[in-house]
Amino acid sequence: MRILSIETSCDETAVSIVEATGSFPHARYSILGNALFSQIDIHREYGGVFPSVAKREHAKTLVPMLEKALGEAGMLDADERTLSSADQLALEETLVREPGLGGALTRFLEQYREPHIDLIAVTTGPGLEPTLWVGINFARALAYAWNVPVVPVNHMEGHVLSSIFDGETIPDLAFPALSLLISGGHTELVLMKEWGSYERIGETRDDAVGEAFDKVARMLGLTYPGGPEIGKLAAEAREANVTSFVQLPRPMLDSGDFDFSFSGLKTAVRYAVAEKTLTHEERIGVARDFEDSVTTVLIRKTTKAVEKYGVHTIIIGGGVSANTFIRESFKSYFWEKFPMVTVYVPPRNLTTDNSVMIALAGHARKDTAEAPSHLASLVANGNLALGERIPY
Ligand code: KG4
Ligand code: ZN
């Protein structure tokens, strides 16, 4: 089965072609084409992601990404045809809210022969609704044009799969498994009893971890996205044995539940650095204590959940799992204290949003795919939870 996957939930525009042989989770996967455009340089100017800017960029970039992914897969065959005016009208109508995309897709369809695609997988949530819609409408237009079914995908299930995928197969997981999903928009602990049976046992009450990283980075005068920058400064402080001039809080460390809160930590940094010109040593010290605080809280909550639910597998996913200190701390801590628990962290190139993970999650959910004639009710859901039935 050849899956074309589309990801536009935030600031990455990504399209992949993945071939799956066998059924989930025992299939073999081959990544035939993988195209990704990160809008980070565009958003850096604004210091964050503006949904309207991101939406416009997705509309501009989707067709070039489709062309690139199909080209890599050797599935771009030149053709010359003219879409019937009825087809053109249907396409324009589907993409009426995505300026420029209808025209670009019409030109693409007239220029290339129809590729052999069996399933289209598209992220429908969680994420920024305006940008999710661009991907959804693009998927619908392609589905009509090629008469291919569409499966809606939960972005977070994608992150889980991204973390355990070895490039070809999904490993046999020992359940119950626990996913710690940490990104710019999410911080959650999800108990997985088996594939498809998920329960969110904890989440952030305010800022997501990545959001806290990005906001603290801004206070320290670093560029967006700040997560990687803080990681670099903190590593420098560890290397040079520099500690913080202020002791930051470890929020909700012993709250007795699995929830998180990072806005107080962020505020503590704000007070510490307010109206102060920090020396380089002070800056790297604060970055280090901030990273320490986040890591301590994440490990403590994960440990409590592992003990309470008899967890055998921990899966860490989402953009913040690129953080070296968090990755290494989790691996060494659990290796020492819970040697029977396997800890998965994603390969660095798959920590941030990508469309390979959407193809994998689409394959896992392929039974929920709908025929092109049923796609009118496919909707974006910015707050879609893992385990929630994806509405049509
Ligand atoms: O999963 P992702 O790419 O997008 C969302 O779905 O949010 O995560 C992006 C987040 C940003 O907040 C970014 O600062 C953070 O992940 N991030 C990091 C690192 N790399 C990315 N945070 C800490 N350390 C890193 N090395
Ligand atoms: Zn993500």
Side-chain angles (χ1 to χ4, degrees):
M1 153 172 274
R2 282 194 178 172
I3 304 164
L4 182 144
S5 56
I6 300 162
E7 158 63 37
T8 61
S9 70
C10 188
D11 59 349
E12 258 87 33
T13 315
V15 177
S16 302
I17 318 287
V18 174
E19 188 166 63
T21 314
S23 54
F24 184 88
H26 305 295
R28 284 203 96 70
Y29 297 95
S30 171
I31 300 168
L32 305 181
N34 184 18
L36 184 145
F37 176 77
S38 171
Q39 305 174 359
I40 276 185
D41 288 338
I42 295 155
H43 297 299
R44 188 171 287 130
E45 277 179 44
Y46 303 92
V49 180
F50 270 92
S52 56
V53 176
K55 178 180 153 74
R56 187 189 67 205
E57 291 302 317
H58 285 304
K60 202 160 83 186
T61 320
L62 271 170
V63 170
M65 291 300 111
L66 173 68
E67 204 167 343
K68 181 158 184 270
L70 286 169
E72 280 178 18
M75 291 164 71
L76 261 191
D77 292 319
D79 196 1
E80 245 182 73
R81 62 194 178 110
T82 311
L83 289 192
S84 71
S85 47
D87 280 353
Q88 254 188 54
L89 194 66
L91 205 133
E92 292 286 348
E93 266 175 20
T94 310
L95 294 171
V96 68
R97 287 163 189 270
E98 326 301 343
L101 189 51
L105 186 57
T106 301
R107 282 191 294 284
F108 175 88
L109 293 171
E110 291 187 334
Q111 212 177 335
Y112 297 107
R113 194 164 305 152
E114 186 177 321
H116 174 174
I117 297 290
D118 301 293
L119 179 68
I120 295 173
V122 63
T123 306
T124 56
L128 305 170
E129 286 189 2
T131 69
L132 288 164
W133 274 117
V134 187
I136 291 172
N137 288 331
F138 188 59
R140 286 169 60 214
L142 284 176
Y144 297 142
W146 295 338
N147 196 25
V148 174
V150 174
V151 58
V153 166
N154 184 310
H155 180 82
M156 303 317 272
E157 188 165 36
H159 273 304
V160 170
L161 286 161
S162 223
S163 298
I164 60 175
F165 183 52
D166 71 3
E168 269 185 15
T169 57
I170 307 287
D172 260 333
L173 292 190
F175 290 103
L178 183 71
S179 283
L180 172 67
L181 300 171
I182 43 180
S183 70
H186 294 269
T187 303
E188 46 190 58
L189 271 170
V190 179
L191 184 66
M192 304 168 60
K193 293 182 190 121
E194 55 182 307
W195 283 117
S197 166
Y198 311 130
E199 183 193 346
R200 183 161 67 194
I201 57 171
E203 64 189 309
T204 182
R205 296 188 180 170
D206 38 59
D207 292 356
V209 188
E211 194 180 351
F213 264 96
D214 294 337
K215 288 177 177 168
V216 166
R218 198 178 314 163
M219 294 172 202
L220 297 179
L222 305 167
T223 52
Y224 176 86
E229 303 301 317
I230 295 226
K232 279 182 217 155
L233 294 194
E236 190 185 333
R238 282 175 222 289
E239 182 77 19
N241 250 325
V242 171
T243 51
S244 177
F245 68 92
V246 57
Q247 165 78 46
L248 298 172
R250 271 56 179 157
M252 296 188 60
L253 194 59
D254 291 307
S255 62
D257 57 19
F258 302 111
D259 282 347
F260 304 91
S261 162
F262 293 104
S263 96
L265 176 59
K266 169 195 74 187
T267 309
V269 176
R270 178 171 295 130
Y271 282 134
V273 306
E275 290 163 34
K276 202 166 172 343
T277 311
L278 297 183
T279 65
H280 183 64
E281 290 224 323
E282 284 171 335
R283 268 184 358 142
I284 65 177
V286 171
R288 175 183 181 174
D289 200 47
F290 172 78
E291 199 179 66
D292 272 340
S293 169
V294 167
T295 309
T296 303
V297 174
L298 293 177
I299 288 189
R300 176 74 63 91
K301 299 275 169 167
T302 306
T303 305
K304 295 268 184 212
V306 165
E307 286 169 339
K308 176 166 179 186
Y309 295 101
V311 164
H312 296 300
T313 306
I314 297 171
I315 301 163
I316 307 175
V320 182
S321 65
N323 182 281
T324 306
F325 187 69
I326 294 176
R327 294 162 75 92
E328 297 307 321
S329 302
F330 265 88
K331 281 196 274 188
S332 59
Y333 176 86
F334 284 98
W335 176 245
E336 202 178 296
K337 300 272 194 262
F338 297 85
M340 302 302 283
V341 175
T342 310
V343 178
Y344 288 95
V345 291
R348 243 172 244 282
N349 61 331
L350 292 187
T351 52
T352 43
D353 295 345
N354 62 84
S355 49
V356 170
M357 70 187 203
I358 303 309
L360 299 174
H363 191 233
R365 302 284 141 242
K366 73 175 176 22
D367 294 343
T368 64
E370 286 282 1
S373 51
H374 281 79
L375 298 178
S377 46
L378 196 61
V379 288
N381 179 351
N383 297 313
L384 185 67
L386 203 50
E388 203 175 315
R389 212 183 74 78
I390 298 180
Y392 261 107

